[in-house]
Amino acid sequence: MGKRGREEKRLLAVLRRRRGAGSEAAAEPDETTVPADREAAEALVEATWRQTYAALFRLTGGDADLAADLTQDAYRKAWAALASFDGRARFSTWLYRIAYTTFLNHARRPHLVVPLEERGAGATGDDEPPPPDRDGGRADASPPPDEALAERRCRERLRRSVLALPENLRYTVTARYWGGLSAAEIGRQEGITATAVRKRLRKANTLLAARLESEDVPTETAS
Amino acid sequence: MSRHDEREIARRLADTPAGEPPPELLDRLRADIPEDLAAGLEAGDEAGAPPAAPTPFSRPWLAVAATLVMLLAGGFLGWKLTQEVGPVGQSYVDGPPAAESTMDTAGSADGTGTGEAVEPTESAKATAARAVDPAGEVAAEEPTRDESRDRAAPAREAAPVGQAFEDTAIHEERPMVEDAAPTPPIGDLAASAPGTTAAPPPAPPSVPQVARLAPPSRPAGHQQGRQAAESRGRLASPEPEGMGDRAAGERSELEMMAGPAPTNPVEEKAQNRLSTFGLDVDTGSFTLLRAYLDAGRMPPAAAVRVEEVVNAQPFSDPFAGAPALPGETFRVTADAAPSPFAPDRSHRLLRFRISARELTPAEGKPVRDGTLQTVAEEARAQVEFDPRVVESWRQVGYENRAIADHEFRYDAVDAGEIGPGHSVTALYEVKLRAEPAPGRPLALLKLRWREPAGAEGKPGRFREIEERLTAEDLAASWSAADPDLRLAAVAAELAEHLRGSPHATSAPSTLLTEARRLASAGVPGAAELVELAEAWRRLDVPAADAEEPGDD
């Protein structure tokens, strides 16, 4: 557990110290305990929000607004489920799991389905807040030249392929590459060894390679 | 050698751009930290299956202590939640551009009214077609993208248009509390001011009772969905299982998107109070399925569009005997009744019929250029349900015409063209919380369209009108319902059966009986539906097993 992990642990300890006092604080809100919790919670947010957002940004295929909304959602869920955090992995690892689930639940909501081609795959919400610009408001604001467009298509194809992986591989790949988690961290969270995680990654990458190969198009620039 | 070797894949995955988070996101996240983290800490245990992998207590003493603490904290949480609307709730009230709302009836969007102050006289017209007061229309401004992007509200489901009913947040945040807490009589609800809380502050309920009933403060949404699905058992596509227990039967995002012919899901009010769709007057699906059934074959399920079958019916003309007023483009009929096809008595079938005027004599000249004459372009509708009355809803059909709620006023979105004399019927199967009190609105329909370009080619302006559906528009019984509504229901149910929809739960005999009843009452169109229903019964094969077209 690196420096960041230790800091997260310390902050969580601050939060958890209140656990025993929770009932009293609840029955009779205590001005002195809440700010301390809050401070720790804010520090946790500050330590993790960029990473969480980045993961969701990648999961949603670069839909900035949706990523921000899902980030907010994920934290809400995290606060509500804080007690289930058991500390076997880092808070940020646990948080990634929540963010990932939040994204999947969003993507699955059947009534939100619109063709992927027309909009960012994430921007499917019909009850979602403002959508991204239809014309290229993905990662970059200005209409990209052909090359950038091809690159983006390529990325989108890869993203879709990732999302079509079997669940355990999908989770592992996104956690590692998009969530920025180490294999060891993922292993701790999942209750498997780091070697098993790396095995999953290799298997996933092989599947992805095969899949992309099979639907390869001339615009592919990876050679 | 493969251009996509593993290493390359890994590199590309890691190189996916991460994006820069908007700076205000941090403030949103900070603002979302619950005041009572301690309670949240405990409440999470109640979730049973929290979003992350559930972790059973490893230390027995902790389990005992936590059980006690949980009861106390859970009780407090439940009580607290009934007391206040959280930050998200507030955002519904003072967030999005409620001022844009174009209410022409009393109450609702001003944030101070009770929302129920609909004049009884206004709503007493029941199912009769109502001429929309042209004065109630506004030349709606073209919204800027920025406007709709405005996320002053931290709520994720920022209200895209003016919200007519303002207390959803309560439901959104704690649907289970609401179910658990004694529901105040409707009169009380009506008297309470929206924007504060639904119920007057109750005395804190006894702790153990609430601890049992209070929700895990906010488990992942799928849990609610699941509970609801289980309790009702008719969700079109039940929400996925929690991540923890989802090892098998995975469906990827892509598979979901490419899935079988979609049917609109049952919407929990808590999740989504708005239904937005483009007006569609196409009736081709009906012609097609008639051709199939006449030929003694089942139409392919995917070719059956419920809304097209409904819109193909020869409903009565709302302008008959009451020609369009100057400036009146649409006339809206709104009514509802307890449908015999509904799963239970708490359901109502709601109907909005949107009828376009005929051409005026001046316009009625032969059309040049072979183009179709329209009276409205980019026409779209948004129905907002009052969560205090409506527990859940499902739009019947229109799966392919859905528009994102926030894009209702995004005029670049493709919507429907409406020709003169055309009409569009939108049906909703709605589950009521309770029998609505007189004058109480159930749903509000907003219509938005662009007038056709003028003679000089100047683009027409956008206009909006609204129509309310109130308790007075509810027929007490099916036999008392407007024959058009009954005909629409029969057409929709037949289509649902033909396409093998999970919502087609009524017995075929119910459908036939109802169709014959209408036919014997001389309702135009009913006799044909009887024939089609009989043809379907003779084939007696599930739509899913029907042959594919193209082999003859």
Side-chain angles (χ1 to χ4, degrees):
Chain A
M1 206 169 266
K3 188 181 164 200
R4 196 171 57 179
R6 279 196 295 278
E7 176 61 9
E8 282 179 13
K9 213 172 174 182
R10 186 188 70 76
L11 293 169
L12 275 162
V14 175
L15 286 177
R16 286 177 164 268
R17 267 209 296 281
R18 311 290 162 196
R19 192 186 173 104
S23 55
E24 293 151 38
E28 195 177 279
D30 180 352
E31 290 293 316
T32 61
T33 58
V34 174
D37 286 353
R38 201 178 166 80
E39 226 169 79
E42 286 197 4
L44 265 178
V45 170
E46 282 159 27
T48 52
W49 74 291
R50 283 179 178 279
Q51 192 183 358
T52 307
Y53 174 84
L56 285 165
F57 185 85
R58 289 159 153 175
L59 282 166
T60 57
D63 185 333
D65 285 346
L66 180 62
D69 292 336
L70 292 180
T71 303
Q72 195 172 6
D73 247 25
Y75 276 94
R76 285 181 191 160
K77 287 176 185 164
W79 298 132
L82 203 52
S84 78
F85 176 69
D86 60 351
R88 82 188 139 153
R90 277 190 347 220
F91 177 74
S92 49
T93 310
W94 178 76
L95 189 61
Y96 175 76
R97 190 40 126 163
I98 295 177
Y100 172 81
T101 312
T102 305
F103 164 75
L104 285 187
N105 283 339
H106 168 84
R108 282 188 172 117
R109 290 167 69 181
H111 64 290
L112 302 184
V113 170
V114 297
L116 280 166
E117 282 71 23
E118 286 174 23
R119 311 164 57 176
T124 57
D126 72 9
D127 57 353
E128 295 310 311
D133 298 331
R134 294 178 156 255
D135 42 6
R138 244 5 74 71
D140 30 32
S142 55
D146 287 354
E147 224 174 274
L149 190 71
E151 172 62 27
R152 220 172 58 189
R153 278 212 191 109
C154 192
R155 275 205 301 271
E156 179 59 16
R157 237 152 39 88
L158 179 59
R159 186 185 79 96
R160 291 212 223 169
S161 304
V162 167
L163 294 178
L165 286 172
E167 166 55 20
N168 61 349
L169 300 186
R170 176 172 59 191
Y171 169 75
T172 310
V173 163
T174 59
R176 176 72 191 92
Y177 298 116
W178 294 347
L181 306 178
S182 70
E185 265 301 307
I186 298 169
R188 270 195 279 276
Q189 170 77 27
E190 297 296 286
I192 57 176
T193 65
T195 312
V197 172
R198 280 188 279 269
K199 223 176 194 170
R200 277 192 193 177
L201 289 173
R202 273 200 301 278
K203 188 174 170 195
N205 289 345
T206 309
L207 280 175
L208 289 173
R211 190 183 167 115
L212 290 178
E213 187 73 23
S214 72
E215 58 177 41
D216 214 346
V217 291
T219 55
E220 188 58 65
T221 55
S223 57
Chain B
M1 186 57 203
S2 164
R3 286 181 294 169
H4 296 296
D5 67 14
E6 293 171 33
R7 222 173 279 255
E8 173 63 18
I9 294 286
R11 185 191 66 74
R12 282 173 55 193
L13 283 168
D15 281 353
T16 310
E20 185 60 22
E24 86 279 359
L25 177 59
L26 183 55
D27 297 329
R28 284 159 66 188
L29 296 176
R30 283 201 189 106
D32 269 357
I33 297 173
E35 286 304 314
D36 199 351
L37 266 173
L41 261 175
E42 303 311 324
D45 292 330
E46 279 182 87
T55 56
F57 284 110
S58 50
R59 281 161 287 200
W61 63 266
L62 194 57
V64 174
T67 307
L68 288 172
V69 167
M70 188 172 79
L71 289 173
L72 289 167
F76 174 72
L77 182 72
W79 171 73
K80 199 171 163 62
L81 285 174
T82 58
Q83 290 287 303
E84 64 181 23
V85 178
V88 179
Q90 291 300 345
S91 70
Y92 275 94
V93 178
D94 41 40
E100 247 187 80
S101 182
T102 56
M103 300 286 140
D104 55 359
T105 44
S108 61
D110 56 10
T112 55
T114 63
E116 282 69 50
V118 181
E119 312 245 6
T121 52
E122 170 65 29
S123 48
K125 295 162 200 163
T127 62
R130 284 169 287 198
V132 176
D133 178 9
E137 302 180 11
V138 293
E141 301 291 320
E142 296 255 350
T144 63
R145 295 298 285 145
D146 282 346
E147 187 181 4
S148 61
R149 279 172 163 275
D150 180 11
R151 45 175 71 248
R156 189 162 156 260
E157 300 191 32
V161 294
Q163 299 281 12
F165 315 114
E166 293 168 332
D167 60 355
T168 312
I170 294 162
H171 308 301
E172 177 190 65
E173 289 306 292
R174 38 181 220 279
M176 295 308 289
V177 163
E178 183 186 68
D179 288 343
T183 310
I186 291 164
D188 290 353
L189 269 180
S192 72
T196 54
T197 55
S206 74
V207 166
Q209 182 193 359
V210 171
R212 191 163 41 80
L213 296 173
S217 52
R218 241 172 287 141
H222 66 256
Q223 257 202 322
Q224 300 165 7
R226 237 161 73 201
Q227 285 165 353
E230 281 157 10
S231 69
R232 209 178 35 246
R234 339 185 41 240
L235 265 186
S237 322
E239 296 260 1
E241 299 285 293
M243 292 305 298
D245 48 359
R246 249 185 58 246
E250 269 306 314
R251 294 194 69 197
S252 72
E253 177 193 13
L254 300 175
E255 285 167 324
M256 291 299 294
M257 305 216 168
T263 50
N264 277 331
V266 175
E267 297 283 355
E268 294 301 311
K269 272 314 309 121
Q271 310 293 329
N272 190 355
R273 60 161 66 180
L274 298 171
S275 165
T276 312
F277 58 97
L279 299 192
D280 182 9
V281 293
D282 200 344
T283 58
S285 176
F286 185 64
T287 313
L288 189 74
L289 77 82
R290 194 167 45 190
Y292 267 89
L293 289 174
D294 285 351
R297 300 177 55 196
M298 281 294 286
V304 181
R305 295 268 161 77
V306 180
E307 72 277 11
E308 294 188 12
V309 175
V310 170
N311 284 332
Q313 302 312 311
F315 299 120
S316 58
D317 176 9
F319 291 95
L325 304 168
E328 183 184 14
T329 304
F330 288 110
R331 194 165 283 182
V332 179
T333 311
D335 59 3
S339 150
F341 310 121
D344 62 54
R345 299 176 66 86
S346 66
H347 285 79
R348 296 290 182 280
L349 190 70
L350 261 62
R351 174 182 70 139
F352 286 104
R353 179 155 181 240
I354 300 152
S355 308
R357 65 175 171 85
E358 293 287 353
L359 292 179
T360 60
E363 293 170 314
K365 306 243 166 71
V367 181
R368 286 160 302 179
D369 307 322
T371 54
L372 286 175
Q373 187 100 27
T374 60
V375 296
E377 297 167 353
E378 306 299 352
R380 71 284 305 271
Q382 184 166 68
V383 176
E384 180 176 359
F385 294 94
D386 187 337
R388 290 163 295 192
V389 186
V390 174
E391 185 176 310
S392 65
W393 57 270
R394 172 178 75 88
Q395 184 170 21
V396 182
Y398 287 93
E399 282 85 1
N400 294 19
R401 309 290 299 181
I403 293 178
D405 290 334
H406 59 261
E407 290 182 338
F408 176 62
R409 294 209 173 93
Y410 181 30
D411 296 326
V413 166
D414 243 13
E417 313 289 299
I418 306 292
H422 284 166
S423 89
V424 173
T425 296
L427 296 174
Y428 290 89
E429 186 177 77
V430 164
K431 183 169 163 60
L432 299 179
R433 292 181 183 282
E435 207 58 44
R440 190 166 192 96
L442 276 76
L444 172 74
L445 171 90
K446 290 190 176 94
L447 267 186
R448 183 180 175 83
W449 74 95
R450 190 176 65 204
E451 294 187 323
E456 326 80 52
K458 214 175 70 179
R461 61 181 185 136
F462 274 88
R463 294 177 64 192
E464 281 188 24
I465 57 168
E466 298 184 350
E467 184 61 60
R468 268 163 196 273
L469 196 156
T470 67
E472 282 71 13
D473 300 326
L474 284 177
S477 69
W478 190 239
S479 53
D482 186 309
D484 278 355
L485 170 58
R486 297 173 64 181
L487 185 70
V490 168
E493 192 67 9
L494 175 62
E496 295 272 38
H497 276 295
L498 287 172
R499 69 190 296 234
S501 159
H503 302 297
T505 51
S506 69
S509 59
T510 313
L511 175 64
L512 273 167
T513 308
E514 177 59 20
R516 286 183 185 132
R517 201 170 285 160
L518 289 176
S520 64
V523 175
E528 179 164 35
L529 290 181
V530 170
E531 279 173 29
L532 294 174
E534 284 171 345
W536 163 58
R537 289 317 297 151
R538 276 195 300 275
L539 288 166
D540 200 28
V541 286
D545 298 339
E547 297 165 74
E548 289 301 316
D551 52 354
D552 62 353

